[in-house]
Amino acid sequence: MADSFTTTDCDRPGTQGDNRVGYRASSNNAVEGGGVMDIGPVLRHLASPARLPVRSDIELAESISILAKQAKTKTAGTPYMKTPSPVAVASILQTRPADILRELGVATTFLTRSPFLSVSQHWAHVRYCATLEAGREQLMRLTSYASKDVVHHHKVTQSEQLGIGLALVVARAVLERRHPGWLFHVVDADVALRHGYVNDVTGRVGNKPGTNKRPDYFLIGWRRSGAQTKVRIAVLECKGTHGTMRQVYKQLADACLQVGTVAIGDHPMYGLMVASRLLRSGVSSYVLDPPGDDELWTGPTSDYDELLAEQPDELEWRARQQATQPDAADSAGSTAPSTPATAAATPTPPYVIPASHRSWLAQVMNRTVAASVLLFAGDSTTAVDYTSPRQRGYSSAMLPLEDTWPDTISAQVRMPSGPVLTGTSHLMPLNDGRTLEVFRGIDRRLHHDLKEGNLSRYARNAGWLRRWWNAARSRSRDTVSVGADGTALIIRVLDRRERPSRRRYR
């Protein structure tokens, strides 16, 4: 028989942390009541492997390039628009709907003072539980519910949100093939840029009035080899549509501009743009690579550990203005080989990180990753320690305040014969008396490292949980997704007939 997870309350000051309850998921999948979706098949679809077709070829790249240039001639000039090229990626990727939901959850979890933070995060997972499934030949597709019962204006939101999760799955596959053995972590672009830019992060950067043009995310990866550490970075633009291939092409053409708006000195950043088409007949993704430089930092591991222990300065840059004169090399690590400056007629992209601030950017990216995984697990108080005042919503003219942030971290889950996760759990009653539980969390040891401010140890060990789970996942009968950042999403049904006694968690 497959093992189940044990859930308990966390020990926290001011809570009833010593009274802990263990649950075992039911194997009964029936949900009573006419007209109500059966939760059992939904959870099975979430956990089932699905094959995602991916296209990236020269024909696609040339078509998108032509369309992007046509759009450029009809609107204001955008000479920093990048020319796309195909990437090396498998034509079929193996994933699961649960992995897409977890990617979406981590990527869209933000710091806020709202007391409804936990509810909104919970809803972000639950609302898309019944949207994706494996169809014939295990090819991913929309469920009948998602394709027929969702009205048009909700489909727009659905495609945008699922487009983020799908794009992250594809982007990781591209980057892990490009750099075998590397682990990459998602960083919201606006959140990261806010650490260095004043107000202009919300400004307009577009090829026509009324449009916002910036990439959605950065992906940062690091690898330690002996006494040396290398750090790489890429920008990512995510698209999604229920429409025709013409709409896919239009979205990719738009992305040619968005991935070109951020640079490091004279080096265009390596970028990926992914558009996904979501249909009942099948879900497919299209990915292109506007060429650029992905090397961010290289140097002794001891220097990098010291770098991560430091708090990066909050800078006062403005978009479209060169912050400082780019230097040839960073003071705490070497840069990629210099490339010739672009032609004088080519304007500077709106967001240029000086080459002398590569170390600063590596600090900001790592700290934003830490804040994201902590927020995913419900620990806003610790996440605040990894953010700047501007990222927390303060301006330089405001006096610093000691705010209380809403924490929802309140549960621990022991994985079958394995490690303990710390995080937040939501219970939702089902109409047959059972309960749906959604747990979001992080490896307890990684959480301890981040609470202690030991970002370098987190970086070294973040991928351990996923490696362990990949070898052990067959033991579980619950819906589980584990990420390379140490996060985990668990969705399961608690049986009304099997209420375990209270006991102290050990």
Short mmCIF file of all heavy atoms in Angstrom, two decimals, residues 180-208:
data_model
loop_
_atom_site.label_atom_id
_atom_site.label_comp_id
_atom_site.label_asym_id
_atom_site.label_seq_id
_atom_site.Cartn_x
_atom_site.Cartn_y
_atom_site.Cartn_z
N PRO A 180 23.75 21.57 -18.39
CA PRO A 180 23.45 20.35 -17.63
C PRO A 180 23.96 20.43 -16.20
O PRO A 180 25.07 20.90 -15.93
CB PRO A 180 24.19 19.25 -18.41
CG PRO A 180 24.34 19.80 -19.79
CD PRO A 180 24.51 21.28 -19.62
N GLY A 181 23.11 19.98 -15.27
CA GLY A 181 23.50 19.97 -13.86
C GLY A 181 23.20 21.25 -13.11
O GLY A 181 23.36 21.31 -11.89
N TRP A 182 22.75 22.28 -13.82
CA TRP A 182 22.43 23.55 -13.17
C TRP A 182 20.98 23.55 -12.69
O TRP A 182 20.13 22.88 -13.26
CB TRP A 182 22.62 24.71 -14.15
CG TRP A 182 24.05 25.05 -14.43
CD1 TRP A 182 24.99 24.25 -15.01
CD2 TRP A 182 24.70 26.30 -14.15
NE1 TRP A 182 26.18 24.91 -15.11
CE2 TRP A 182 26.03 26.18 -14.59
CE3 TRP A 182 24.28 27.49 -13.58
CZ2 TRP A 182 26.94 27.21 -14.47
CZ3 TRP A 182 25.19 28.53 -13.46
CH2 TRP A 182 26.50 28.39 -13.89
N LEU A 183 20.72 24.31 -11.62
CA LEU A 183 19.37 24.53 -11.13
C LEU A 183 19.03 26.01 -11.29
O LEU A 183 19.82 26.88 -10.90
CB LEU A 183 19.25 24.14 -9.65
CG LEU A 183 19.49 22.66 -9.33
CD1 LEU A 183 19.39 22.45 -7.82
CD2 LEU A 183 18.50 21.77 -10.06
N PHE A 184 17.89 26.29 -11.87
CA PHE A 184 17.48 27.68 -12.10
C PHE A 184 16.24 28.01 -11.28
O PHE A 184 15.36 27.17 -11.10
CB PHE A 184 17.22 27.91 -13.59
CG PHE A 184 18.48 28.00 -14.41
CD1 PHE A 184 19.08 26.85 -14.90
CD2 PHE A 184 19.08 29.22 -14.67
CE1 PHE A 184 20.25 26.91 -15.64
CE2 PHE A 184 20.25 29.30 -15.41
CZ PHE A 184 20.84 28.15 -15.89
N HIS A 185 16.18 29.25 -10.82
CA HIS A 185 15.12 29.69 -9.91
C HIS A 185 14.46 30.94 -10.48
O HIS A 185 15.12 31.81 -11.06
CB HIS A 185 15.69 29.97 -8.52
CG HIS A 185 16.45 28.81 -7.96
ND1 HIS A 185 15.86 27.82 -7.22
CD2 HIS A 185 17.75 28.46 -8.06
CE1 HIS A 185 16.76 26.92 -6.87
NE2 HIS A 185 17.92 27.28 -7.38
N VAL A 186 13.15 31.05 -10.28
CA VAL A 186 12.39 32.12 -10.88
C VAL A 186 12.38 33.36 -9.99
O VAL A 186 12.30 33.27 -8.76
CB VAL A 186 10.94 31.66 -11.18
CG1 VAL A 186 10.21 31.26 -9.89
CG2 VAL A 186 10.17 32.73 -11.93
N VAL A 187 12.48 34.54 -10.62
CA VAL A 187 12.45 35.82 -9.92
C VAL A 187 11.54 36.76 -10.70
O VAL A 187 11.73 36.96 -11.91
CB VAL A 187 13.86 36.45 -9.82
CG1 VAL A 187 13.79 37.83 -9.17
CG2 VAL A 187 14.80 35.54 -9.04
N ASP A 188 10.54 37.33 -10.05
CA ASP A 188 9.67 38.30 -10.71
C ASP A 188 10.48 39.53 -11.12
O ASP A 188 11.18 40.12 -10.31
CB ASP A 188 8.53 38.70 -9.77
CG ASP A 188 7.55 39.63 -10.47
OD1 ASP A 188 6.60 39.15 -11.09
OD2 ASP A 188 7.75 40.86 -10.37
N ALA A 189 10.39 39.92 -12.39
CA ALA A 189 11.24 40.99 -12.91
C ALA A 189 10.93 42.33 -12.25
O ALA A 189 11.85 43.07 -11.88
CB ALA A 189 11.06 41.10 -14.43
N ASP A 190 9.66 42.67 -12.10
CA ASP A 190 9.32 43.96 -11.50
C ASP A 190 9.79 44.04 -10.05
O ASP A 190 10.27 45.08 -9.60
CB ASP A 190 7.81 44.20 -11.57
CG ASP A 190 7.37 44.73 -12.93
OD1 ASP A 190 8.25 44.87 -13.81
OD2 ASP A 190 6.18 44.98 -13.12
N VAL A 191 9.64 42.95 -9.29
CA VAL A 191 10.06 42.94 -7.90
C VAL A 191 11.57 43.16 -7.81
O VAL A 191 12.06 43.95 -6.99
CB VAL A 191 9.67 41.63 -7.21
CG1 VAL A 191 10.26 41.55 -5.80
CG2 VAL A 191 8.15 41.52 -7.13
N ALA A 192 12.33 42.47 -8.66
CA ALA A 192 13.79 42.61 -8.63
C ALA A 192 14.23 44.00 -9.07
O ALA A 192 15.09 44.63 -8.43
CB ALA A 192 14.42 41.54 -9.51
N LEU A 193 13.66 44.50 -10.16
CA LEU A 193 14.07 45.82 -10.66
C LEU A 193 13.75 46.93 -9.68
O LEU A 193 14.43 47.96 -9.62
CB LEU A 193 13.39 46.09 -12.01
CG LEU A 193 13.88 45.25 -13.19
CD1 LEU A 193 13.01 45.50 -14.42
CD2 LEU A 193 15.34 45.56 -13.51
N ARG A 194 12.71 46.74 -8.88
CA ARG A 194 12.34 47.76 -7.90
C ARG A 194 13.44 47.99 -6.87
O ARG A 194 13.49 49.04 -6.24
CB ARG A 194 11.03 47.36 -7.22
CG ARG A 194 10.35 48.50 -6.47
CD ARG A 194 8.97 48.08 -5.97
NE ARG A 194 8.05 47.87 -7.08
CZ ARG A 194 7.39 46.76 -7.31
NH1 ARG A 194 7.56 45.72 -6.51
NH2 ARG A 194 6.58 46.65 -8.34
N HIS A 195 14.34 47.03 -6.70
CA HIS A 195 15.45 47.20 -5.76
C HIS A 195 16.43 48.27 -6.23
O HIS A 195 17.12 48.89 -5.43
CB HIS A 195 16.19 45.87 -5.58
CG HIS A 195 16.98 45.78 -4.32
ND1 HIS A 195 16.62 44.96 -3.27
CD2 HIS A 195 18.11 46.42 -3.92
CE1 HIS A 195 17.50 45.09 -2.29
NE2 HIS A 195 18.41 45.97 -2.67
N GLY A 196 16.49 48.49 -7.56
CA GLY A 196 17.44 49.46 -8.07
C GLY A 196 16.82 50.68 -8.70
O GLY A 196 17.46 51.73 -8.79
N TYR A 197 15.56 50.57 -9.14
CA TYR A 197 14.93 51.67 -9.89
C TYR A 197 13.86 52.36 -9.06
O TYR A 197 13.08 51.71 -8.35
CB TYR A 197 14.33 51.14 -11.19
CG TYR A 197 15.38 50.81 -12.23
CD1 TYR A 197 15.99 49.57 -12.24
CD2 TYR A 197 15.78 51.76 -13.16
CE1 TYR A 197 16.98 49.27 -13.17
CE2 TYR A 197 16.75 51.48 -14.09
CZ TYR A 197 17.35 50.23 -14.09
OH TYR A 197 18.33 49.94 -15.01
N VAL A 198 13.82 53.69 -9.18
CA VAL A 198 12.88 54.52 -8.42
C VAL A 198 11.65 54.80 -9.28
O VAL A 198 11.75 55.45 -10.32
CB VAL A 198 13.52 55.86 -8.01
CG1 VAL A 198 12.55 56.69 -7.20
CG2 VAL A 198 14.80 55.61 -7.24
N ASN A 199 10.52 54.27 -8.85
CA ASN A 199 9.21 54.56 -9.47
C ASN A 199 9.07 54.08 -10.91
O ASN A 199 8.02 53.61 -11.31
CB ASN A 199 8.90 56.07 -9.42
CG ASN A 199 8.80 56.56 -8.00
OD1 ASN A 199 8.41 55.81 -7.12
ND2 ASN A 199 9.16 57.82 -7.77
N ASP A 200 10.13 54.21 -11.72
CA ASP A 200 9.99 53.95 -13.14
C ASP A 200 9.68 52.50 -13.48
O ASP A 200 9.34 52.19 -14.62
CB ASP A 200 11.26 54.37 -13.89
CG ASP A 200 11.49 55.87 -13.80
OD1 ASP A 200 10.74 56.61 -14.44
OD2 ASP A 200 12.39 56.27 -13.06
N VAL A 201 9.78 51.60 -12.52
CA VAL A 201 9.43 50.21 -12.79
C VAL A 201 7.99 50.10 -13.24
O VAL A 201 7.63 49.24 -14.02
CB VAL A 201 9.69 49.34 -11.53
CG1 VAL A 201 9.11 47.96 -11.71
CG2 VAL A 201 11.18 49.25 -11.28
N THR A 202 7.14 51.00 -12.78
CA THR A 202 5.74 50.98 -13.20
C THR A 202 5.48 51.90 -14.38
O THR A 202 4.35 52.10 -14.76
CB THR A 202 4.83 51.40 -12.03
OG1 THR A 202 5.23 52.70 -11.57
CG2 THR A 202 4.95 50.42 -10.88
N GLY A 203 6.54 52.47 -14.96
CA GLY A 203 6.38 53.37 -16.08
C GLY A 203 6.08 52.64 -17.38
O GLY A 203 6.00 51.42 -17.43
N ARG A 204 5.95 53.41 -18.46
CA ARG A 204 5.59 52.84 -19.76
C ARG A 204 6.85 52.60 -20.58
O ARG A 204 7.65 53.49 -20.79
CB ARG A 204 4.67 53.81 -20.51
CG ARG A 204 3.39 54.12 -19.76
CD ARG A 204 2.51 52.90 -19.64
NE ARG A 204 1.25 53.21 -18.99
CZ ARG A 204 0.34 52.32 -18.68
NH1 ARG A 204 0.56 51.04 -18.92
NH2 ARG A 204 -0.77 52.66 -18.09
N VAL A 205 7.01 51.39 -21.02
CA VAL A 205 8.09 51.06 -21.94
C VAL A 205 7.46 50.25 -23.05
O VAL A 205 7.24 49.06 -22.93
CB VAL A 205 9.20 50.24 -21.24
CG1 VAL A 205 10.32 49.93 -22.22
CG2 VAL A 205 9.74 50.99 -20.04
N GLY A 206 7.10 50.91 -24.15
CA GLY A 206 6.35 50.19 -25.17
C GLY A 206 6.60 50.71 -26.55
O GLY A 206 7.25 51.74 -26.75
N ASN A 207 6.09 50.00 -27.55
CA ASN A 207 6.23 50.45 -28.93
C ASN A 207 4.96 51.15 -29.41
O ASN A 207 4.84 51.48 -30.56
CB ASN A 207 6.58 49.28 -29.85
CG ASN A 207 5.53 48.19 -29.81
OD1 ASN A 207 4.60 48.25 -29.01
ND2 ASN A 207 5.69 47.20 -30.67
N LYS A 208 4.00 51.33 -28.51
CA LYS A 208 2.86 52.17 -28.82
C LYS A 208 2.24 52.62 -27.50
O LYS A 208 2.44 51.99 -26.46
CB LYS A 208 1.84 51.43 -29.68
CG LYS A 208 1.27 50.15 -29.07
CD LYS A 208 0.33 49.50 -30.05
CE LYS A 208 -0.21 48.18 -29.50
NZ LYS A 208 -1.12 47.53 -30.46
#
